[in-house]
Amino acid sequence: MPPLSYHHLFEHGSDPNSPPLLLLHGTGGDEHDLLPLGRALSPGSALLSPRGNVSERGAPRFFARLGEGRFDPAEVTQRTHELADFITAATTRHGLDCRQLIAVGFSNGANIAATLLQLRPESLAGAVLLRAMVVLDQPAAAGSLAGKRVLLASGTGDPIVPGDHPARLAALLRAGGATVTLQSTAASHGLAAADIAAAKIFLADR
Ligand code: MLT
């Protein structure tokens, strides 16, 4: 079989009722980073964990950054389609149902999960976006996210995500019909216990 386009890890699930998770790490992370989080959030879920294919001075990411919070929309769009095509190939290869696939993304990984929802909504059933910002300032197409659920967890002391971005991103996704839950925690860019608790409840509530 030909290699898939992203280096990735796959763990089989043990519970067919638990949704498969797509784990998307932050800048400088890799395919190992979010496995413990995925196991803790939804024991029994299959886990698909790619490594970002863009290098920022050696730090893996899912799309390039021109500066803090500055992106090239054309490059982000191209990377989003690359990841969506990987998801199609990898879910077929590993026997997963992408209509059930939930992304759990942190930081840069949350940002590409959001652009997947905006540009390739068929790739995901929903998403847990941990510390996401607006990267592509364009609403999801009307109806494209109907029936999909998103948890958007932000930190009130986050120095990277501007304060108005969680609500703006929620509006862009709601334009497509997504049900978006905003969770705001007194935390920085790093995850806090309240984020984990909210994500667990979100994933269990199906
Ligand atoms: C990004 O570049 O996606 C965001 O700034 C988050 C980060 O990676 O720090």
Side-chain angles (χ1 to χ4, degrees), residues 103-123:
V104 175
F106 168 65
S107 190
N108 181 246
N111 291 342
I112 197 152
T115 61
L116 277 170
L117 289 168
Q118 288 166 289
L119 300 179
R120 294 285 292 270
E122 75 284 1
S123 307

Side-chain angles (χ1 to χ4, degrees), residues 157-177:
D158 190 332
I160 294 177
V161 177
D164 62 334
H165 276 222
R168 281 178 52 204
L169 181 56
L172 296 175
L173 300 176
R174 284 179 181 139

